[in-house]
Amino acid sequence: MKLNVFFLLLLILNIGYANEDSTFVKKIYNEALVKGEAYNNLRVLCKDIGARLTGSAEAAMAIEWAENLLESYAFDNVYLQEIKVPHWERGTKEAGWIINAEQKISKLDMLALGGSVGTGGLIEGEVIKVESIEELNQLSDQEVDGKIVFFNRPFDQKMINMFKAYGACVDQRWAGTSEASKKNAKAVVIRSLASNTDGHPHTGSMHYEDGVIQIPGAAISPNDADDLVEWLTKGKVTLRMEMDCKTFADVTSYNVIAEFKGSEDDKIITIGAHLDSWDVGEGAHDDGAGVVQCIEAFRILKKLGYRPNHTLRCVLFMNEENGNFGGKSYAEIAVENSEEHICAIETDRGGFLPMGFDVVGSDEQLEFIREITGDLKPYDLLKFNHGYGGVDIGPLRQYFPTMIQLGLNVNSQAYFDFHHSAADVFETVHQRELALGAAAMGAMLYLMDRNL
Ligand SMILES: [Zn+2]
């Protein structure tokens, strides 16, 4: 009998604890949806500062903006973490034309790939189309010599998750230029990594292998890629292009950090997004949305008077797009300072409708996440599976292999219409979807702090 009473008491206490959680999660959502500040903060970041490539004046202004905003919310601690970052500039001239067998000319919508060398004036070469690096490698060196290689593999439309479709194509952008250079190609153009057919070229990072001659790489819009394919079926096509992008010496930059001090210990839970963006559009979905969601999650916990058990950190990383020196440095500095990191949560998939969180961790850790997130079901956060955390928080796991990492999972259908292109502007972000993502980040941060 006594034992039964004991268990009854335990049950009541448990229910009380659970009710407290569901009530608090409700408060987080109410604040985000009714009095949210994320949308207006995103408007300021996108419209008053705009695109903010690492090393640019706009990136420096975004750092200033973020630090001031975080300070205005009076968190326990706001500071800049100094890091070294690469500095690449697109330059002014960026143009391409195709000329078909009948000498008809068509101008291309083209963007240099991030990190590419310039062309050193106007260059010209016959176009040779391949669908993959494997197909390129099956060609003889003579077939490629002096030509401009066109990588044309599009997204697989049969895929449901657009991040997977992107992942299946991204090697063309990242490695295609070096692979073509090994066969003495003059330059590379790729079909933009986009889910739809549109007129925007989509840039993104590429890298040069050591010891390989550095040739220019550019992306053309899906529409132009379709035209080029069409013209190639009718005969020889020549491509002319000119770009004066270049890489400068590394510069000093900063991750921007805000903290809530833990009341029980100094173990750290990080939420993060990246403050830098590509230099076209406004970096609204990538990753302005994530930046304002992290700030909003922190603002709401502060406003609701929450005192965390562990130390909570909001980290706005620099340089995710072309080097990830923000993420790498954050992890290295954590080790230097003998910090203990137990969890990191990233939002970097656009300000779209949230669906759950990807979990990086063991089967037991995934089970634990599923157990503690019952209170998120009423908010349609239903997907909790093994998956991907994020680029910025990724390096932490090298040093803290048992930590849990979470990536906000969103509806991925529209993201690659905007990603790394001039179309990624504030107007394409939906206010409620953005706010729901901020609330999801706040609620997840709260639940991890309570349960870890
Ligand atoms: Zn991003």
Side-chain angles (χ1 to χ4, degrees):
M1 185 65 189
K2 264 190 181 154
L3 209 61
N4 281 345
V5 171
F6 174 73
F7 278 120
L8 194 65
L9 203 67
L10 254 187
L11 189 72
I12 291 165
L13 278 173
N14 232 329
I15 290 168
Y17 196 72
N19 277 343
E20 196 183 325
D21 278 352
S22 66
T23 304
F24 200 83
V25 166
K26 182 76 189 147
K27 283 184 186 166
I28 292 173
Y29 270 82
N30 288 352
E31 174 69 19
L33 291 169
V34 179
K35 295 183 187 161
E37 297 185 9
Y39 192 63
N40 193 47
N41 286 337
L42 183 63
R43 187 187 57 73
V44 173
L45 179 61
C46 290
K47 297 301 177 193
D48 294 346
I49 296 168
R52 43 200 180 274
L53 184 62
T54 296
S56 67
E58 291 88 348
M61 282 187 265
I63 291 165
E64 224 178 295
W65 165 83
E67 189 185 19
N68 288 337
L69 181 62
L70 290 168
E71 272 174 356
S72 77
Y73 291 136
F75 301 124
D76 294 347
N77 196 7
V78 175
Y79 60 98
L80 300 182
Q81 183 173 67
E82 189 176 315
I83 56 171
K84 274 270 176 280
V85 292
H87 177 201
W88 175 86
E89 284 186 17
R90 185 170 298 285
T92 48
K93 258 226 163 23
E94 201 165 54
W97 298 264
I98 45 175
I99 303 118
N100 71 10
E102 289 112 44
Q103 300 303 304
K104 185 171 186 288
I105 296 182
S106 175
K107 191 152 194 289
L108 298 172
D109 289 311
M110 199 181 81
L111 281 175
L113 298 181
S116 174
V117 295
T119 55
L122 191 66
I123 60 168
E124 176 176 313
E126 186 186 339
V127 177
I128 182 163
K129 175 177 84 77
V130 293
E131 298 289 315
S132 65
I133 289 170
E134 295 70 43
E135 190 184 333
L136 171 75
N137 287 335
Q138 279 160 17
L139 298 172
S140 70
D141 289 5
Q142 290 99 309
E143 283 173 290
V144 181
D145 188 30
K147 297 205 174 119
I148 294 179
V149 174
F150 167 40
F151 283 96
N152 181 51
R153 189 163 79 262
F155 276 25
D156 181 349
Q157 296 296 328
K158 299 188 294 303
M159 286 186 174
I160 301 305
N161 185 322
M162 285 293 107
F163 286 95
K164 290 200 172 135
Y166 173 72
C169 290
V170 76
D171 65 324
Q172 301 173 101
R173 191 190 75 208
W174 176 250
T177 308
S178 280
E179 293 302 325
S181 173
K182 289 177 196 168
K183 289 185 173 290
N184 210 18
K186 198 176 268 181
V188 161
V189 292
I190 67 161
R191 169 187 283 272
S192 284
L193 303 184
S195 47
N196 279 332
T197 295
D198 64 37
H200 291 291
H202 299 239
T203 188
S205 61
M206 55 157 293
H207 88 129
Y208 291 115
E209 261 180 54
D210 286 344
V212 167
I213 294 169
Q214 300 188 348
I215 59 170
I220 61 173
S221 73
N223 284 347
D224 284 340
D226 287 343
D227 288 350
L228 183 49
V229 169
E230 171 79 16
W231 280 14
L232 282 165
T233 62
K234 293 173 183 158
K236 180 178 152 179
V237 180
T238 303
L239 196 150
R240 284 187 195 141
M241 60 194 282
E242 185 168 10
M243 318 191 298
D244 65 2
C245 45
K246 67 176 174 197
T247 299
F248 297 84
D250 288 354
V251 294
T252 298
S253 189
Y254 304 91
N255 292 328
V256 186
I257 300 178
E259 269 180 7
F260 275 125
K261 287 280 173 220
S263 57
E264 281 182 8
D265 60 43
D266 296 328
K267 292 177 183 174
I268 293 163
I269 301 178
T270 296
I271 58 167
H274 65 88
L275 194 51
D276 66 306
S277 75
W278 278 105
D279 54 340
V280 289
E282 296 167 356
H285 282 290
D286 189 12
D287 185 20
V291 164
V292 298
Q293 284 172 338
C294 288
I295 295 172
E296 181 75 344
F298 249 50
R299 181 191 72 79
I300 292 173
L301 291 190
K302 165 96 184 170
K303 184 167 178 193
L304 296 178
Y306 183 62
R307 283 318 300 173
N309 298 327
H310 311 295
T311 290
L312 308 185
R313 255 197 213 149
C314 168
V315 184
L316 310 178
F317 293 93
M318 184 48 62
N319 188 228
E320 187 269 352
E321 295 292 5
N322 56 337
N324 197 25
F325 282 94
K328 289 177 198 162
S329 306
Y330 180 69
E332 284 160 13
I333 292 166
V335 175
E336 278 165 31
N337 293 343
S338 307
E339 293 172 355
E340 188 180 348
H341 285 254
I342 54 173
C343 176
I345 314 171
E346 182 159 336
T347 159
D348 183 18
R349 300 181 202 181
F352 299 101
L353 187 70
M355 300 168 74
F357 284 86
D358 282 8
V359 180
V360 183
S362 64
D363 289 348
E364 290 72 29
Q365 286 172 322
L366 174 59
E367 217 29 66
F368 163 75
I369 294 294
R370 285 177 175 163
E371 274 165 25
I372 67 165
T373 51
D375 287 322
L376 301 182
K377 286 198 173 73
Y379 307 96
D380 284 349
L381 296 177
L382 305 170
K383 290 179 78 166
F384 294 88
N385 298 308
H386 282 302
Y388 187 60
V391 171
D392 299 292
I393 61 174
L396 276 174
R397 254 182 81 84
Q398 187 186 329
Y399 306 107
F400 307 96
T402 59
M403 77 182 295
I404 298 178
Q405 297 205 338
L406 301 165
L408 181 64
N409 183 308
V410 302
N411 184 312
S412 68
Q413 300 312 313
Y415 185 56
F416 292 95
D417 297 359
F418 310 115
H419 187 243
H420 298 178
S421 82
D424 186 7
V425 295
F426 172 71
E427 289 79 0
T428 64
V429 178
H430 189 274
Q431 183 169 6
R432 274 187 68 83
E433 292 188 341
L434 181 77
L436 286 166
M441 289 296 288
M444 198 69 221
L445 177 62
Y446 164 80
L447 289 173
M448 292 309 282
D449 182 57
R450 293 267 284 174
N451 289 285
L452 271 183

